[in-house]
Amino acid sequence: MIQYPFLQKGATIGVTAPSSGVRVELHPIVEQACQRLEQKGFTVKCGTTVWTQHKAKSASAEERAAELKQMLQDESIDILIPPWGGELLIEILEYIDFEQLPNKWILGYSDNSLLLLAITLTSGMATAHGTNLLDLRGEYSDETTAMWQQVLSTKVGESVVQYSSPKYQKEWRHGHPSPCVFHLTEQTIWKTVSDPHITIKGRLLGGCIDVIRHLIGTPYGDVQRFKQQFLHGDPILWYLENCELSTTDLRRSLVHMKLAGWFEGSSGILFGRSSANQPVGNYTAEDVYQELSDELGIPIIYDIDCGHVPPQITFINGAYAEVKVENGNGTIQQHFLP
């Protein structure tokens, strides 16, 4: 059975950096994000790893894992939200006892999606792929990002609906801060490789493909065991996003996942928008999606609200989802089924 944490009103948020911490000159934006959340009725507790960054990580693997464990076990902390992603979260996996995790939400994306997927695959506890802490520092959140609270406050047996964003951000403009952090200027259009009107159902799993691919062949990436132990015959509906992979590396990674059996019996794949999806020669990301769809015989939806081109929908690893696309507009209903 999938276990779902529940976000209480006025919850206490633990902020820890299992990947990258925040450099001194950027500490004010962490403080701003904490203040915004406190204004919304949350209590925020920051760990020491948040404030340090050295050699591409917030601290040693042992220190990062210890702080994560401490916050997970602290009964006064209800949810963990890292400041942002990073590069080397994979170093901490061997120091985490995945069989002794309390039922508590962890929300994030990018490098953090490696931890989220490992937790769900090994323990059957649902995890939340969505906004990070620093993207909550605005005067208000856009309607897509703001849904994280409602999604994480869904009770077992209930469902929650989210919609594709009206617009997305093409590029960061740090010199011109926005009241909602993002500069949403481009029309969002969810696309498919075949039928423009499509519905896909299945149990959600996914994250940033740059990092989750490294779970293949490890004790933390046993998709077949997860399916047998927790899914009771439900197909997996994958959501994936590409941060920095070239189009050919994206293709190699997807073939690797296919050969490892990750896509066996899947109902479909959702791909997030990506600024990295540039052609190599004349080989495009759309070619990659079409080839994968043909090989697996499953539908693929792409340019969805997920990942490093904000805003993004909050996806729950382990939840049963129904995803619809009609005329470029997307709807996702997630059912918190055990």
Side-chain angles (χ1 to χ4, degrees):
M1 292 175 57
I2 301 296
Q3 295 179 303
Y4 298 91
F6 179 77
L7 182 65
Q8 301 277 358
K9 187 176 182 180
T12 296
I13 298 171
V15 185
T16 184
S19 184
S20 286
V22 182
R23 302 188 308 274
V24 172
E25 61 270 25
L26 296 179
H27 285 182
I29 65 174
V30 178
E31 294 163 353
Q32 185 179 38
C34 294
Q35 290 167 3
R36 296 292 189 199
L37 288 164
E38 288 171 345
Q39 290 168 3
K40 295 180 183 296
F42 294 100
T43 299
V44 182
K45 296 182 179 180
C46 287
T48 59
T49 60
V50 175
W51 310 105
T52 55
Q53 177 72 357
H54 181 62
K55 292 188 180 294
K57 58 192 111 179
S58 63
S60 70
E62 293 91 340
E63 289 174 296
R64 284 178 282 153
E67 186 172 274
L68 176 68
K69 179 180 178 180
Q70 182 272 320
M71 286 198 171
L72 283 168
Q73 294 180 340
D74 186 342
E75 294 183 358
S76 71
I77 293 176
D78 304 298
I79 176 175
L80 271 58
I81 309 180
W84 50 16
E87 305 285 350
L88 295 173
L89 186 144
I90 196 170
E91 294 179 334
I92 76 170
L93 295 184
E94 62 186 298
Y95 300 107
I96 298 172
D97 185 352
F98 287 93
E99 295 182 357
Q100 299 296 323
L101 297 176
N103 200 29
K104 187 176 295 189
W105 282 122
I106 305 178
L107 170 66
Y109 77 108
S110 192
D111 202 25
N112 295 302
S113 67
L114 180 80
L115 175 64
L116 302 179
L117 184 58
I119 288 173
T120 301
L121 288 178
T122 55
S123 71
M125 185 173 78
T127 52
H129 186 280
T131 187
N132 60 37
L133 182 89
L134 293 184
D135 288 343
L136 297 174
R137 68 185 186 274
E139 294 177 22
Y140 64 93
S141 291
D142 64 275
E143 57 194 70
T144 306
T145 303
M147 279 295 295
W148 72 270
Q149 292 185 60
Q150 184 176 339
V151 174
L152 302 192
S153 297
T154 302
K155 296 179 180 178
V156 175
E158 296 183 349
S159 64
V160 60
V161 178
Q162 297 173 87
Y163 301 96
S164 56
S165 64
K167 295 185 176 181
Y168 70 91
Q169 174 177 280
K170 184 178 181 180
E171 59 186 359
W172 286 100
R173 296 166 56 198
H174 295 294
H176 301 277
S178 163
C180 72
V181 180
F182 305 131
H183 297 82
L184 306 173
T185 60
E186 312 300 309
Q187 183 181 1
T188 296
I189 302 175
W190 286 20
K191 303 170 185 175
T192 69
V193 298
S194 53
D195 189 340
H197 304 283
I198 194 170
T199 298
I200 315 176
K201 301 178 182 180
R203 294 277 186 169
L204 290 168
L205 284 180
C208 179
I209 193 171
D210 307 44
V211 293
I212 66 169
R213 58 181 178 164
H214 295 301
L215 292 177
I216 293 172
T218 73
Y220 317 106
D222 193 339
V223 173
Q224 295 302 328
R225 186 188 71 84
F226 171 77
K227 289 167 63 176
Q228 294 168 5
Q229 185 171 351
F230 297 109
L231 294 195
H232 317 296
D234 289 337
I236 293 174
L237 173 52
W238 287 96
Y239 66 91
L240 302 168
E241 62 102 3
N242 173 20
C243 178
E244 297 178 333
L245 303 183
S246 69
T247 301
T248 45
D249 198 5
L250 174 65
R251 172 60 175 164
R252 285 193 297 267
S253 300
L254 291 165
V255 171
H256 187 188
M257 294 168 75
K258 179 184 72 170
L259 295 177
W262 277 27
F263 297 137
E264 289 179 6
S266 297
S267 57
I269 306 176
L270 317 173
F271 284 96
R273 295 179 291 262
S274 174
S275 59
N277 285 346
Q278 303 302 316
V280 175
N282 62 347
Y283 188 52
T284 67
E286 288 77 13
D287 293 327
V288 174
Y289 303 152
Q290 185 66 63
E291 289 170 349
L292 191 63
S293 177
D294 292 342
E295 291 165 4
L296 300 176
I298 58 176
I300 286 178
I301 300 170
Y302 63 98
D303 286 359
I304 71 164
D305 297 285
C306 178
H308 288 78
V309 181
Q312 56 182 316
I313 282 170
T314 303
F315 288 88
I316 303 302
N317 287 318
Y320 188 87
E322 181 175 345
V323 181
K324 295 181 180 179
V325 176
E326 294 182 354
N327 300 316
N329 298 313
T331 304
I332 174 170
Q333 184 172 19
Q334 296 183 84
H335 304 269
F336 282 28
L337 301 180

